[in-house]
Amino acid sequence: MAAIDDLKQLLQEDIRQLDNLTDVLSREKTTLSSSDISELQGITSEKNAILEAIRERAKRKIHLLVSMGYKPTAGAPSRFIRAAGMDDLYQLWQQADEKLRACQSLNQNNGRVVGHLQKRLGRLTDIFRGASSQQKLYGAKGEQTRVSSSTVLASA
């Protein structure tokens, strides 16, 4: 029973820190729109610290589950918890999973914002260098590539 209690405490801590991560990701999005680099660096450090703590707890949770009889090759831990009839533990696991997925979505949105900012910076850099008149094509992944008169497209 001690392993179950320890696992509950770890999940509760995950839930608390995932709520904090949601706040940090929201602040990150706001900061990205204001382009405040010093504030963004602080937010990134805070985000990395939270993520590292979550990773460490994930390792401890797996060790606890293994001590309870879970086999990592058996599939998702949530199925093991549910099959064992630990309903309150399963609810905590699901709650943490939902919060983690929400954080992943926010982080992906912020990643798209960063990608757009990088493209904009690239276009501005091209303008400053005087290279903006070069034709551009889109690659397989949607990125822009320049085509200049020295680029060989095909050869016979």
Side-chain angles (χ1 to χ4, degrees):
M1 272 321 209
I4 293 172
D5 292 336
D6 290 344
L7 196 52
K8 284 180 184 178
Q9 288 176 348
L10 291 173
L11 286 168
Q12 289 168 345
E13 182 64 19
D14 276 351
I15 291 167
R16 187 185 66 74
Q17 280 205 317
L18 286 167
D19 285 336
N20 289 344
L21 184 58
T22 300
D23 294 339
V24 169
L25 290 169
S26 296
R27 284 191 338 221
E28 181 182 51
K29 185 176 181 180
T30 303
T31 303
L32 285 170
S33 67
S34 70
S35 301
D36 186 350
I37 300 300
S38 61
E39 186 177 345
L40 190 59
Q41 287 174 337
I43 288 172
T44 301
S45 296
E46 188 177 350
K47 181 170 74 169
N48 288 337
I50 292 171
L51 290 172
E52 184 59 32
I54 289 171
R55 281 186 207 104
E56 287 301 314
R57 274 194 307 283
K59 292 175 190 175
R60 291 175 32 206
K61 287 185 294 192
I62 291 298
H63 287 295
L64 286 170
L65 285 168
V66 168
S67 72
M68 293 167 56
Y70 169 70
K71 293 181 176 75
T73 58
S78 60
R79 284 191 282 174
F80 169 77
I81 294 168
R82 189 170 194 175
M86 298 178 266
D87 293 332
D88 50 345
L89 188 61
Y90 180 74
Q91 293 295 334
L92 284 172
W93 191 277
Q94 288 301 108
Q95 187 178 0
D97 186 57
E98 289 171 11
K99 290 184 182 291
L100 179 63
R101 290 179 194 277
C103 286
Q104 287 172 330
S105 177
L106 287 171
N107 197 48
Q108 286 173 345
N109 289 340
N110 289 354
R112 282 192 287 275
V113 170
V114 168
H116 290 301
L117 290 172
Q118 287 174 333
K119 284 181 185 178
R120 189 169 80 187
L121 181 62
R123 283 187 229 127
L124 288 172
T125 303
D126 287 347
I127 290 170
F128 286 135
R129 281 191 270 159
S132 64
S133 62
Q134 292 179 339
Q135 294 179 355
K136 295 183 180 178
L137 297 175
Y138 288 99
K141 295 183 179 177
E143 74 279 358
Q144 290 183 350
T145 56
R146 287 181 198 87
V147 179
S148 66
S149 59
S150 64
T151 303
V152 177
L153 295 176
S155 62

